[in-house]
Every structure is written in structure tokens, then in C-alpha cells.
Amino acid sequence: MLLADAECSRRDAVLVIQPNKNLSWNQTKLVFLFLALCLTAIACYFLSLGAWLVVPFAGLELLVIGLGLYLQCCHSHKQQIIEIGAENITISDGREKTQPASFPRAWLKIVQTRDPHGWYPSRLFIGSHGKFIEIGEYLIESERNMLANNLRCAIQGA
């Protein structure tokens, strides 16, 4: 999901790229709580019938569901920030403690590779002098095309 648009008439722009978020953290906790209550009720019912072996598997299932929801929520908070300045383009990850990559604006290339068979989504790279970084890897195809067009427009400054 592209959060900020780059305007062709402006010299500076900031683009924020994030995956689509289905649930917020609080909504994810509520979904987990609801599933835990349902699973606990089912496990208690089978326990009352004498099938005590259901309880450990219900706990294991609850652990797997919780881990899956947590990992999905962590993945949905990734982001890439592209800052287009007058001289340089800076690409950084919003949450991770990595060094941002900087490229000179005059030499910047935007390369979008497509699968010749059409089986896989395209990949968008930005960089110069042999050093390229993939951007927008979690975007859908139409958003990736829009991002490539917005970047070309913002870099050319037309």
C-alpha cells in the first residue's frame, strides 16, 4: 500500500510503502481472545465427557494460532520509506535498525523485471552504479506499477 504520493511538480517527496493491514494490534488480540474462549469451551466439553486427551492438543492449537497471529501482525508493520531530495534518494526501513541506502538522483535507475511466463509477480529495483535494492516486494502488481510510475515522475521532476 502506497501511503504518500509523489507529485511531479515538486522537487522533494516522501513515499511510504507498507503491506496492507487487515487488523490492528488490538483487533488481533480480540480475535485471539475470541478463538481462545471458543477453543477452551470445546476442550472443557470434551473434558466433561472424559476425553481428557483433547486438552493438551487444544493448548497446542491455541499456541500455534497465537504464534501465527503474532507473526502476521509483525509482518504487517514493515515499511519502506523513500525520501526524494534535491540531490539524493534515501531508502530506509521504518522499524529495523539498518543503515539507509542513499543514491545520487542524477544516476538513479528504476528497473522493473517481469517473469517471461507471467507466473510470478514483477520485481521493482532502485539503485545506481551496480547497487540495487528491491522495493515494494509486498505490493500487488497494480500498486507496484503505480509506485514505479510515481518514482519515475518524481525523479524526472517533470
Side-chain angles (χ1 to χ4, degrees):
M1 181 170 63
L2 188 60
L3 292 182
D5 253 353
E7 296 178 17
C8 290
S9 60
R10 292 188 54 193
R11 193 78 176 136
D12 299 332
V14 176
L15 299 168
V16 180
I17 307 165
Q18 295 179 336
N20 291 328
K21 296 179 186 176
N22 295 329
L23 297 174
S24 68
W25 177 242
N26 288 331
Q27 291 171 334
T28 303
K29 289 190 291 188
L30 287 175
V31 166
F32 179 72
L33 180 65
F34 174 74
L35 292 174
L37 289 175
C38 291
L39 193 59
T40 303
I42 292 170
C44 288
Y45 172 73
F46 280 103
L47 184 63
S48 70
L49 293 178
W52 60 270
L53 198 53
V54 171
V55 175
F57 287 104
L60 184 64
E61 183 179 356
L62 193 60
L63 180 70
V64 168
I65 290 172
L67 182 65
L69 286 173
Y70 175 75
L71 291 175
Q72 185 276 332
C73 196
C74 287
H75 176 72
S76 70
H77 285 87
K78 288 183 178 180
Q79 65 179 2
Q80 288 179 322
I81 301 170
I82 302 172
E83 299 175 24
I84 302 172
E87 299 292 324
N88 290 328
I89 308 293
T90 305
I91 302 169
S92 62
D93 293 333
R95 292 175 55 98
E96 297 177 13
K97 306 256 190 299
T98 58
Q99 189 71 7
S102 184
F103 301 104
R105 184 175 178 154
W107 293 96
L108 194 71
K109 287 185 182 178
I110 300 168
V111 179
Q112 190 170 10
T113 61
R114 299 187 190 279
D115 181 37
H117 302 291
W119 295 344
Y120 301 104
S122 66
R123 297 176 71 187
L124 185 62
F125 295 96
I126 187 170
S128 68
H129 297 95
K131 181 183 173 191
F132 287 89
I133 295 177
E134 184 176 2
I135 58 173
E137 61 216 24
Y138 32 75
L139 297 177
I140 61 174
E141 196 66 34
S142 61
E143 290 175 338
R144 195 174 296 114
N145 291 335
M146 185 176 69
L147 174 64
N149 291 336
N150 283 349
L151 281 172
R152 286 183 183 106
C153 180
I155 290 169
Q156 291 171 358

